[in-house]
Amino acid sequence: MRVQIENLMRYTYEKPVSFSPHKIRLYPRTDPTIITHRLQTLANIPADVQYRRDLYDNLIASCFFSAPANTLELRVQLEVELWPKNPFHFLLAPYAVEIPFSYTEAEARVLAPYREILPGDEVDSDEIWHLDGKRSTVDALVDLAQTLHSEISYEVREDGEARPPSRTLELRSGACRDTALLAASILRKMGLAVRLVSGFLCEFQIDVRARRADSALHAWIEVFLPGGGWVGIDPTNGTFCDHRFIPTAAGVLTADIASVEGSYFGNEIVPSDFQAKLELELVVEKELDRLAENVEQTLATENVTLTMGGEPTFVPERPEGAEWSVAAVGPSKIVYAYQFANTLVESVLPGAMILYTPGKLYPGEIDPRWALNVLRPPNPFPVATKEQTKAPDEKSLKQLREALIEKLQIEDRWTRASDPRESKKQVWVLPLDFVDGKWKSERWNLRKMELTLANGPAGLRLPLQLLPNSLIKRAMVIEVQPTYVDLFLPPLLTAQFESLIRMIYGIADQPNAIRWQSYVPVDLPADWSRIAFTADPGVLEVNLPPCPSWKTYQSWIERLEAIGRQHGLRCFKEDGLTVGTGGGNHLLFGGPSLERNPFFGRPHWVASIGRYWQHHPALSYLFTGIYVGGSAQAPRPDESGNDLLDLELACRQLESLPPGDQRQSIHEILRHLYTDPTGNPHRSEISVDKFWSSPLGFWGLLEFRAIESFPEVRWITAVYLLKQPYRSALKQWGQELHDRFFLPTTLWNDLTDVLTELAQFGFAFDPALFREIWEWRFPPLLQWEGLTVRKGLEAWPLLADTPVEGQTTSRFVDTSITRLEFSASAQFHREHQVFVNGRELPFRSLSARELIVGLRFRSSALYPSLHPQLPIQTPLVVTIFNRDTEKVMTQFILSQSQDRFTETDQPLFARGKPCEPPAPDLITCDLRIEDSLFEK
């Protein structure tokens, strides 16, 4: 990772003074894990800056100032590249494996200054830590660091010399330089060589600039261990020093490591003021394409080819009818799909065909859904002209049938079928199959060729049930429509399928008047381009082809959004607030082929993904739609009624599988756990129903379904886990999962944890990209002088099955509850109280600067719903109360018809019982609780 550091020191005097030469020790001591790319020292007055190495090989800047001034500003700017460092990656010399040990004569001579204890540094530390006999050197040093961390409390003291170790021990507190000097004295007393170190501790949290925590300089020690060299130990935090520690100065005394050394001239004391500001931030990549290239290079080094697929969804600008809310099929959706597909063929995939196929049949639905498949072979089909199309007349239709018989070299078995739905429609049926290397047709001895009453194309309504098993049960069907012809092809393998289509292209007068219908060949090669438009409840779904790179994936998304706009389709809804479509914009990971699938031989990678996702609710909730929780389309495995032990055991089994192809084992271990509460394996946050199962397919795909936006964070996180296996035990979230992580601010904080880990590994996102999506996802409903109210997430529980006419796959949920988040700055909270409908909200601290509280309330009472006797609790009145004056500052109101709070000029306030959560440790209150649930 790359780090930008800027350290500003400002000295202000009541009158101009002259300055002595100043020494600055704020430049990284480089080694293979620390590389300085930029170094600059700036002053606000003319200065001669000279860089030198001091006695301890520290890089220092000696600054000489020629003129007096009221203010001296020194600014050090750095850009440093840090590589991961294991602080325990060393092998001690045999004589140093246990402590105490003696240095060799040569070592002792060189290290003598670092072993000397000055009179003022003597300390009797036996009361908190001492060494009893021989002990492992590393274990003893770890124990010392952890002991000092627990026994010496940390205090902030920016100015002044380090305290004598005895005083630090007496007070049991100190700044980092105090604790470092105490540790050095203890170890020097044991005969070890120790040097004091100052520098930067990069406790990074990727975040937008306005939310970053303040940074400061730090001090620690390094002890010389034969075989291990100078090993960094931070007793303040109780750790050994890894790549987060950037040393800038090392020496024997605290004066040797002072960040700035200098003074002013004069015979009088001039009142002055000192201010310092340190900013550390990771260098982030604003261009996703560059970040994607970095990720793909990482995959290449692991010899992994990871393909991406997606399922973006679209709705009309003015959606009307059940097909754009709860139903999968409807009259306008197929029209939009053909328009979308035709434009895609013309502008992106010339030479492709559009093939109508039956889709999935779900319980509760009478007919299968449909799919429009855009298919293009490596040698594209002839490009049809854009001339006006019309259905062929009787003569042309007869010529087409006869030409097909001649080309197929079969007997003429064309039979006209009657359609009981439309008696005048022309439907022609030719029994046809490819058998033993040639086309074959047979006579169907039916008294009457009549289609069934089922819905759908004629080719799917043939009376095949009336035929004996000995006959061919496949056929070509021509169905004449007013302006085009539906041509249904028998199910075939790819070679015969392509041959038949090219044959028809060659003999048809108007090939662009043909609407192709059939089944996609089961052996369709990977070199065919394929993209599908499918009917899904409330949306038109587009199934992307496997994309070998992020750039390809992004290109498809941009093209589809542009084409959708041409036809009045978009990938979001507007219902007061802008929200996602409610459909699934899912992301799929797989390989270019089953032979090169990246998961089959890496079950530990699948386990890492499962563990990491379970630890970070932001990956589950932040980028999905408004429906979350157990009843949603993509519940987490710990929301589906699974015991956490079962999930943990599953991860451990994956991690212990032997080398080799483990596709079947991976699927069997996970398929019963990654489901929704009803056992549906498709409705899961990470779905494995397309991994290695029938009937959905043996594809080797992991589908990430909790996504409506920004899929790249999941992709890059998955690649990070390939290189950095995640083994932390699954976390028992309990009520905390929904209580905390249905609130926008805690979700954002969890995402920044993810972004920080990725950045430390070299995948540094610009957090502003995600802050935009967060703001879009959770727009403010109220903002006033440090108080912000946003709508949170809510898990709507399933209700009992209710019989409805016609049946549907959509089930009733209770949508009567709304959740809000109130976030307040520390200053706002010191000065104000917040009441909702007269009841005070108990804010909880998230950091020194921010507090939050959640609030659930009954916002509607649609039938059916839970608790039908409880009243609706809108309008919601927010009252802001001044703590000092005990007066109402202002009031805001949210009625049932409003999307945002509005200020009211007629404040009414009657204090009621405080709001409270369902349990004492939770942070989300429930306005429905009128009498305390946990009063003694």
Side-chain angles (χ1 to χ4, degrees):
M1 61 179 177
R2 285 203 179 198
V3 183
Q4 285 183 340
I5 303 172
E6 179 169 291
N7 200 350
L8 173 64
M9 295 153 289
R10 180 183 295 113
Y11 303 84
T12 305
Y13 300 87
E14 282 191 353
K15 63 180 183 179
V17 296
S18 298
F19 300 102
S20 70
H22 280 54
K23 292 181 180 179
I24 301 176
R25 301 182 183 90
L26 287 170
Y27 311 102
R29 293 172 60 90
T30 58
D31 62 26
T33 65
I34 303 175
I35 303 170
T36 302
H37 289 279
R38 184 170 66 90
L39 181 156
Q40 192 170 19
T41 305
L42 304 173
N44 66 318
I45 59 176
D48 178 16
V49 180
Q50 301 176 7
Y51 295 99
R52 300 284 186 271
R53 292 279 179 183
D54 69 6
L55 178 64
Y56 303 103
D57 201 36
N58 300 311
L59 177 64
I60 66 171
S62 295
C63 304
F64 301 91
F65 307 102
S66 57
N70 288 81
T71 300
L72 174 62
E73 283 187 359
L74 298 173
R75 190 185 303 265
V76 174
Q77 296 175 334
L78 305 167
E79 183 169 319
V80 183
E81 183 175 0
L82 306 177
W83 287 88
K85 175 184 178 181
N86 179 355
F88 298 99
H89 189 211
F90 54 80
L91 186 64
L92 294 178
Y95 61 89
V97 171
E98 289 187 329
I99 196 171
F101 63 82
S102 298
Y103 292 110
T104 65
E105 184 177 341
E107 290 170 340
R109 184 170 57 254
V110 174
L111 297 173
Y114 300 98
R115 302 170 64 196
E116 182 181 356
I117 302 176
L118 298 180
D121 294 345
E122 293 176 347
V123 63
D124 182 5
S125 60
D126 287 353
E127 60 181 287
I128 62 169
W129 190 87
H130 64 277
L131 191 65
D132 290 326
K134 285 280 188 179
R135 189 176 178 188
S136 163
T137 299
V138 173
D139 290 348
L141 294 176
V142 168
D143 184 46
L144 172 63
Q146 293 177 346
T147 298
L148 293 180
H149 169 64
S150 61
E151 292 289 336
I152 308 298
S153 61
Y154 177 71
E155 66 177 73
V156 177
R157 201 176 80 258
E158 296 182 356
D159 300 326
E161 296 289 333
R163 287 186 184 135
S166 57
R167 181 61 174 162
T168 300
L169 193 59
E170 177 187 353
L171 296 174
R172 286 292 202 275
S173 70
C176 56
R177 60 187 179 277
D178 304 324
T179 309
L181 183 57
L182 172 60
S185 298
I186 292 173
L187 293 176
R188 286 169 178 170
K189 183 179 177 181
M190 297 168 53
L192 295 180
V194 181
R195 61 188 185 188
L196 300 171
V197 183
S198 65
F200 307 108
L201 173 55
C202 302
E203 292 284 13
F204 291 111
Q205 187 72 12
I206 286 285
D207 211 331
V208 290
R209 182 175 292 273
R211 294 179 54 84
R212 288 186 198 132
D214 295 331
S215 302
L217 291 168
H218 195 54
W220 59 95
I221 64 170
E222 290 179 351
V223 57
F224 186 82
L225 302 178
W230 290 104
V231 176
I233 301 174
D234 179 15
T236 300
N237 291 299
T239 64
F240 275 45
C241 298
D242 57 14
H243 58 278
R244 297 171 301 156
F245 292 79
I246 305 177
T248 58
V252 172
L253 308 174
T254 55
D256 299 330
I257 63 171
S259 56
V260 179
E261 181 183 337
S263 62
Y264 67 91
F265 293 125
N267 296 322
E268 59 179 320
I269 297 176
V270 179
S272 63
D273 179 58
F274 172 71
Q275 293 177 318
K277 184 177 181 182
L278 174 63
E279 290 189 358
L280 293 88
E281 62 178 309
L282 288 168
V283 178
V284 297
E285 181 55 70
K286 298 181 183 296
E287 297 295 331
L288 286 177
D289 286 348
R290 293 182 184 174
L291 193 58
E293 290 173 2
N294 183 12
V295 174
E296 284 157 6
Q297 289 173 5
T298 300
L299 287 171
T301 61
E302 293 293 309
N303 197 27
V304 169
T305 302
L306 182 67
T307 61
M308 302 172 63
E311 298 176 355
T313 54
F314 294 84
V315 296
E317 293 177 359
R318 295 178 178 82
E320 296 179 357
E323 62 183 320
W324 300 112
S325 56
V326 295
V329 297
S332 67
K333 193 173 292 185
I334 187 70
V335 175
Y336 277 116
Y338 267 114
Q339 292 173 348
F340 209 140
N342 280 316
T343 303
L344 180 70
V345 171
E346 293 172 5
S347 60
V348 181
L349 293 172
M353 65 175 295
I354 301 172
L355 181 70
Y356 177 104
T357 63
K360 297 177 182 177
L361 178 61
Y362 286 91
E365 295 183 346
I366 299 173
D367 301 306
R369 300 175 185 177
W370 48 258
L372 294 187
N373 297 270
V374 178
L375 304 174
R376 186 174 72 172
N379 178 23
F381 294 117
V383 178
T385 62
K386 291 186 178 181
E387 62 188 35
Q388 183 68 33
T389 63
K390 62 180 180 178
D393 53 26
E394 290 282 353
K395 181 179 178 181
S396 299
L397 194 60
K398 182 179 180 182
Q399 289 175 346
L400 176 62
R401 296 198 306 272
E402 291 175 347
L404 280 169
I405 295 298
E406 180 181 350
K407 289 286 187 180
L408 293 169
Q409 298 180 4
I410 58 175
E411 292 185 45
D412 189 343
R413 305 291 189 188
W414 283 108
T415 303
R416 183 162 181 174
S418 61
D419 187 345
R421 291 177 174 273
E422 297 181 65
S423 58
K424 295 183 179 181
K425 177 181 284 188
Q426 286 198 65
V427 179
W428 292 88
V429 179
L430 175 67
L432 183 66
D433 200 356
F434 192 84
V435 181
D436 297 330
K438 61 181 180 180
W439 296 103
K440 181 181 179 181
S441 182
E442 294 176 340
R443 186 179 300 282
W444 287 354
N445 293 315
L446 298 174
R447 291 176 56 190
K448 184 179 182 181
M449 181 73 75
E450 184 176 69
L451 304 180
T452 67
L453 287 169
N455 296 317
L460 297 175
R461 298 166 54 204
L462 298 174
L464 301 179
Q465 76 280 4
L466 302 178
L467 298 174
N469 292 333
S470 59
L471 291 181
I472 292 173
K473 291 190 177 183
R474 299 182 179 186
M476 179 187 295
V477 181
I478 296 176
E479 184 177 4
V480 181
Q481 305 288 0
T483 59
Y484 56 89
V485 172
D486 285 328
L487 183 54
F488 186 91
L489 306 180
L492 298 165
L493 296 179
T494 303
Q496 292 72 46
F497 176 80
E498 181 179 0
S499 173
L500 185 55
I501 292 171
R502 293 190 185 279
M503 181 189 301
I504 297 171
Y505 265 115
I507 62 178
D509 289 338
Q510 296 186 76
N512 59 328
I514 296 174
R515 283 196 173 181
W516 304 95
Q517 299 171 344
S518 186
Y519 295 86
V520 175
V522 294
D523 65 337
L524 192 75
D527 58 359
W528 280 56
S529 298
R530 179 182 180 183
I531 187 168
F533 298 82
T534 61
D536 215 41
V539 296
L540 175 63
E541 183 176 286
V542 185
N543 302 131
L544 295 179
C547 302
S549 67
W550 167 257
K551 190 171 291 187
T552 305
Y553 178 90
Q554 186 68 13
S555 176
W556 270 116
I557 295 296
E558 292 172 353
R559 290 171 176 174
L560 292 174
E561 289 182 351
I563 295 173
R565 285 194 297 270
Q566 294 179 36
H567 299 289
L569 295 170
R570 58 191 181 187
C571 52
F572 60 91
K573 289 181 178 179
E574 286 187 336
D575 185 15
L577 299 175
T578 301
V579 297
T581 62
N585 185 13
H586 313 316
L587 182 68
L588 296 99
F589 290 157
S593 65
L594 292 179
E595 293 74 21
R596 298 174 61 195
N597 186 281
F599 299 117
F600 291 167
R602 298 176 178 86
H604 61 279
W605 187 15
V606 179
S608 283
I609 291 173
R611 289 186 184 278
Y612 198 82
W613 257 245
Q614 197 269 345
H615 271 258
H616 289 288
L619 298 174
S620 306
Y621 300 141
L622 186 50
F623 303 108
T624 188
I626 59 175
Y627 305 105
V628 294
S631 64
Q633 293 285 326
R636 292 161 52 98
D638 52 4
E639 290 177 318
S640 300
N642 296 307
D643 190 275
L644 196 69
L645 175 61
D646 290 326
L647 294 169
E648 177 65 35
L649 291 175
C651 289
R652 294 185 182 186
Q653 290 175 73
L654 292 174
E655 290 157 352
S656 63
L657 287 173
D661 190 332
Q662 298 291 345
R663 66 184 78 178
Q664 186 70 45
S665 296
I666 294 171
H667 184 257
E668 284 301 316
I669 289 171
L670 296 179
R671 73 186 184 97
H672 300 294
L673 297 173
Y674 280 83
T675 69
D676 74 354
T678 69
N680 186 332
H682 185 61
R683 290 185 171 184
S684 177
E685 176 190 23
I686 302 177
S687 173
V688 297
D689 67 345
K690 298 186 182 84
F691 193 79
W692 204 251
S693 66
S694 177
L696 294 174
F698 301 93
W699 303 106
L701 297 176
L702 291 181
E703 181 178 10
F704 294 78
R705 292 175 47 79
I707 180 170
E708 279 197 359
S709 56
F710 270 76
E712 57 267 28
V713 71
R714 284 171 170 75
W715 172 55
I716 293 180
T717 301
V719 176
Y720 159 72
L721 295 171
L722 171 66
K723 295 282 286 183
Q724 295 287 110
Y726 191 75
R727 293 295 183 93
S728 296
L730 298 178
K731 184 167 183 177
Q732 185 67 265
W733 287 106
Q735 289 181 292
E736 184 183 1
L737 181 63
H738 292 178
D739 175 67
R740 295 181 65 87
F741 294 102
F742 278 7
L743 301 179
T745 300
T746 47
L747 270 184
W748 174 257
N749 290 344
D750 185 51
L751 178 67
T752 61
D753 288 342
V754 174
L755 296 180
T756 300
E757 287 191 46
L758 294 178
Q760 291 180 0
F761 190 71
F763 303 146
F765 282 100
D766 182 354
L769 297 170
F770 298 98
R771 194 67 179 182
E772 287 179 13
I773 201 72
W774 183 85
E775 291 282 359
W776 173 80
R777 185 90 165 77
F778 305 109
L781 310 183
L782 184 159
Q783 288 182 302
W784 190 85
E785 296 186 9
L787 175 70
T788 302
V789 181
R790 301 179 189 269
K791 189 174 181 179
L793 303 174
E794 191 58 59
W796 292 332
L798 280 173
L799 298 174
D801 289 342
T802 304
V804 293
E805 185 178 352
Q807 295 190 335
T808 175
T809 57
S810 298
R811 300 181 63 186
F812 285 105
V813 293
D814 176 30
T815 62
S816 65
I817 301 301
T818 296
R819 187 180 307 240
L820 300 178
E821 178 198 79
F822 291 72
S823 63
S825 67
Q827 181 178 349
F828 174 89
H829 187 254
R830 284 193 297 270
E831 298 172 357
H832 303 92
Q833 294 168 279
V834 178
F835 295 79
V836 175
N837 291 4
R839 303 177 65 184
E840 184 177 2
L841 295 180
F843 282 85
R844 303 291 180 90
S845 176
L846 281 186
S847 68
R849 300 187 297 180
E850 187 171 34
L851 304 93
I852 67 167
V853 63
L855 179 70
R856 302 177 76 208
F857 66 97
R858 187 170 173 85
S859 57
S860 67
L862 299 176
Y863 179 83
S865 68
L866 290 175
H867 314 302
Q869 298 302 311
L870 292 181
I872 296 173
Q873 294 174 303
T874 55
L876 214 62
V877 179
V878 173
T879 304
I880 299 176
F881 200 78
N882 186 285
R883 294 182 186 272
D884 293 334
T885 64
E886 298 186 353
K887 292 183 179 180
V888 172
M889 299 294 294
T890 186
Q891 271 189 341
F892 297 86
I893 189 168
L894 178 71
S895 66
Q896 202 166 6
S897 61
Q898 289 177 300
D899 299 316
R900 291 175 171 83
F901 284 88
T902 56
E903 194 165 9
T904 175
D905 56 0
Q906 296 180 340
L908 298 174
F909 179 66
R911 188 190 295 261
K913 295 180 179 179
C915 286
E916 67 174 36
D921 294 332
L922 303 183
I923 62 175
T924 297
C925 298
D926 198 315
L927 203 59
R928 296 173 300 170
I929 303 174
E930 296 183 355
D931 296 316
S932 178
L933 298 178
F934 41 86
E935 282 183 348
K936 294 183 179 179

